[in-house]
């Protein structure tokens, strides 16, 4: 990262390395090249920057959306409708209508009232909506409580016990086509064990369905692969080989069955950074604070989940390191990026970079405290490899 690129640019802003994104997409393609029945979708909520979306769409991935706005933006930036899927516990009539108009591939349905509503709206439009049921597989992803989604106590999906009745109901409805099952167990999952457990669970459920004579053309295993936030420069590209191999080895795929994946964080986290500037260095009694011009309004993950973002001072050439609390300017005590973090001796005006901020960074920015939304710059090296 060359600070010269940032001269004259108002901080804070997001910096996206498009070359790294392209290498990441190439790694996904090569890890799935031997499995033509694998289809990878990108979870738009991780990062919806237009250039990022265009690059991912051009690489041939589909889009996983969780709102009508995401469905619209995915279609606008080049994802073809037959590769767009739409999940979410609270799809409104308007959002469902948008998705019906665009004619997306699949609604991932999370409740019976939602199913009935999609059927009614599809009837009005003279369409048949393809649906998969999101099933809660009750698998512990061993990740942060706020990003675990596959346990019975979560709000997402249908319980396994309710699966067959839901499919039966779907089969009765004239404007619904049942196409399969959908799962998503959580996020920032760095061990393969929860994914293996998910594959085993899906195998069991498939046997149950087959005993009922129900065919399931499509299985969507969701997303959740994690990234290395501690040492991003050692692992800029997640281990897609290990991830896809887990499903190749464990998931018992039937003839003509399609398997869908929805990766968000692992696609874009490492290609993005938040660049900020030191406003003041303040000496407290017990601590010294580096106060930067970026806050939880620009990158909420540390305040919301206690997340770690590897942090660098791009400006300081000091050989000495000092220990700082790195904080933002927002009027909230949780607006803290790090406590007791080592940086080279830091001064007012230095550029401070938070790494691995390309997923759930810019998309979660808010205007709290009447702040401006962060800007962004896209960097693409002359020789993309
Ligand atoms: C957020 C989400 C994803 C992506 O999760 P990552 O952890 O970013 O890979 C996939 N599927 C659904 C339904 C989601 O809500």
């Amino acid at each position: 990262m060359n600070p010269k690129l940032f001269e004259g640019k108002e901080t804070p802003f997001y910096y996206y390395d498009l070359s790294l994104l392209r290498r990441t997409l190439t790694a996904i393609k090569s890890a799935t090249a031997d499995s033509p029945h694998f289809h990878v979708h990108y979870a738009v909520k991780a990062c919806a920057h237009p250039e990022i979306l265009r690059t991912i769409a051009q690489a041939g991935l589909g889009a996983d959306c969780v709102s009508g706005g995401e469905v619209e933006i995915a279609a606008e930036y080049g994802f073809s409708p037959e590769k767009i899927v739409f999940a979410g516990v609270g799809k409104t009539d308007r959002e469902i209508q948008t998705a019906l108009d665009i004619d997306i591939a699949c609604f991932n349905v999370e409740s019976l009232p939602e199913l009935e509503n999609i059927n009614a709206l599809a009837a009005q439009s003279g369409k048949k909506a393809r649906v998969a049921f999101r099933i809660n597989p009750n698998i512990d992803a061993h990740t942060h409580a706020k990003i675990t989604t596959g346990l019975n106590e979560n709000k997402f999906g249908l319980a396994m016990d309710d699966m067959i009745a839901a499919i039966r109901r779907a089969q009765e409805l004239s404007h619904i086509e049942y196409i399969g099952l959908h799962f998503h167990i959580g996020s920032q999952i760095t061990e393969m064990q929860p994914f293996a457990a998910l594959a085993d669970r899906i195998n069991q459920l498939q046997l149950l369905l087959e005993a009922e004579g129900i065919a399931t053309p499509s299985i969507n295993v969701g997303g959740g692969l994690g990234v290395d936030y501690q040492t991003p420069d050692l692992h800029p590209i997640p281990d897609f080989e290990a991830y896809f191999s887990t499903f190749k080895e464990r998931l018992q795929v039937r003839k003509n069955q399609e398997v869908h994946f929805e990766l968000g964080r692992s696609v874009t986290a490492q290609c993005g950074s938040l660049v900020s500037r030191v406003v003041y260095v303040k000496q407290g009694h017990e601590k010294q604070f580096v106060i930067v011009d970026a806050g939880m309004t620009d990158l909420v993950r540390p305040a919301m989940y206690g997340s770690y973002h590897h942090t660098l001072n791009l400006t300081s050439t000091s050989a000495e390191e000092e220990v700082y609390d790195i904080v933002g300017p927002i009027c909230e005590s949780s607006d803290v990026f790090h406590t007791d973090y080592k940086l080279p001796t830091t001064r007012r005006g230095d550029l401070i970079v938070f790494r691995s901020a390309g997923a759930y960074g810019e998309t979660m920015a808010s205007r709290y405290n009447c702040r401006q939304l962060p800007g962004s710059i896209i960097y693409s090296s002359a020789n993309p490899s």
Side-chain angles (χ1 to χ4, degrees):
M1 213 177 281
N2 180 353
K4 287 228 160 51
L5 282 171
F6 305 153
E7 271 168 22
K9 177 84 188 165
E10 200 182 321
T11 50
F13 58 86
Y14 277 87
Y15 163 90
Y16 295 105
D17 179 347
L18 222 50
S19 311
L20 176 55
L21 176 61
R22 290 203 187 95
R23 292 203 303 278
T24 305
L25 293 165
T26 302
I28 291 172
K29 273 195 209 164
S30 72
T32 53
D34 63 355
S35 304
H37 58 296
F38 278 16
H39 305 278
V40 183
H41 302 258
Y42 168 62
V44 171
K45 73 177 185 288
C47 178
H49 189 288
E51 278 309 307
I52 301 281
L53 291 180
R54 265 192 215 107
T55 304
I56 295 171
Q58 276 163 15
L61 272 69
D64 161 48
C65 302
V66 291
S67 73
E70 286 187 0
V71 170
E72 278 175 293
I73 216 175
E76 184 180 335
Y77 289 109
F79 291 91
S80 62
E82 69 268 22
K83 289 185 180 175
I84 297 178
V85 299
F86 181 15
V89 290
K91 300 179 191 78
T92 64
D93 291 7
R94 193 176 162 164
E95 291 176 308
I96 293 167
Q97 195 59 54
T98 298
L100 286 169
D101 292 344
I102 291 175
D103 207 11
I104 63 164
C106 184
F107 290 85
N108 291 326
V109 170
E110 310 213 13
S111 67
L112 283 176
E114 181 194 337
L115 177 73
E116 302 288 342
N117 192 33
I118 293 175
N119 181 60
L121 291 167
Q124 278 171 26
S125 303
K127 295 198 168 174
K128 205 160 179 155
R130 287 167 293 273
V131 311
F133 286 105
R134 177 165 178 173
I135 306 297
N136 191 328
N138 200 23
I139 283 171
D140 189 349
H142 303 295
T143 182
H144 191 282
K146 285 188 182 145
I147 50 177
T148 297
T149 57
L151 286 172
N152 272 343
E153 65 219 53
N154 293 115
K155 69 175 177 179
F156 298 103
L158 292 170
M160 288 179 281
D161 288 347
D162 300 332
M163 171 181 74
I164 287 174
I167 297 171
R168 290 277 181 239
R169 180 66 187 139
Q171 288 171 332
E172 282 166 17
L173 294 171
S174 49
H175 292 273
I176 296 288
E177 181 187 356
Y178 164 75
I179 65 165
L181 302 180
H182 173 231
F183 304 85
H184 176 62
I185 57 174
S187 201
Q188 185 51 18
I189 300 167
T190 50
E191 300 290 319
M192 293 304 121
Q193 185 276 329
F195 296 120
L198 172 62
D200 293 348
R201 176 74 85 221
I202 296 171
N203 295 339
Q204 290 170 355
L205 294 177
Q206 289 223 74
L207 292 175
L208 277 178
L209 294 183
E210 282 164 356
E212 295 283 324
I214 296 169
T216 299
S218 162
I219 301 278
N220 183 332
V221 302
L225 178 63
V227 303
D228 182 353
Y229 283 105
Q230 300 293 324
T231 51
D233 297 324
L234 285 183
H235 302 112
I237 299 179
D239 192 350
F240 294 111
E241 286 292 341
Y243 173 74
F244 288 110
S245 296
T246 303
F247 290 99
K248 288 178 204 172
E249 286 160 19
R250 294 289 270 269
L251 188 63
Q252 288 159 10
V253 180
R254 306 298 194 259
K255 201 160 171 270
N256 296 327
Q257 203 167 43
E258 307 288 339
V259 183
H260 296 265
F261 299 85
E262 301 168 334
L263 298 174
R265 186 189 309 273
S266 54
V267 183
T268 56
Q270 300 294 34
C271 78
S273 300
L274 175 64
V275 181
S276 68
R277 206 176 275 285
V278 178
V279 191
Y280 300 110
V281 179
K282 164 168 149 175
Q283 302 297 329
H285 281 278
E286 322 243 307
K287 296 233 168 204
Q288 48 182 354
F289 297 94
V290 165
I291 304 166
V292 294
D293 59 7
M296 62 190 283
T297 52
D298 306 294
L299 178 62
V300 76
R301 297 187 66 258
M304 190 149 107
Y305 310 125
S307 313
Y308 176 93
H309 286 269
H310 187 65
T311 300
L312 313 162
N313 183 328
L314 277 198
T315 312
S316 175
T317 51
S318 167
E320 306 273 313
E321 282 195 325
E322 296 187 44
V323 176
Y324 302 99
D325 280 13
I326 306 176
V327 303
I330 312 299
C331 294
E332 294 289 337
S333 306
S334 59
D335 186 30
V336 173
F337 291 105
H338 292 286
T339 50
D340 299 331
Y341 197 80
K342 269 192 200 151
L343 285 179
T345 302
T346 294
R347 301 208 148 71
R348 173 174 160 82
D350 287 358
L351 285 172
I352 301 291
V353 173
F354 300 95
R355 292 283 293 108
S356 312
Y360 308 108
E362 192 181 1
T363 43
M364 285 190 169
S366 79
R367 293 211 48 205
Y368 182 47
N369 285 194
C370 294
R371 282 166 60 85
Q372 299 291 333
L373 290 173
S376 63
I377 60 177
I378 294 274
Y379 169 76
S380 184
S381 76
N383 298 310
S385 46

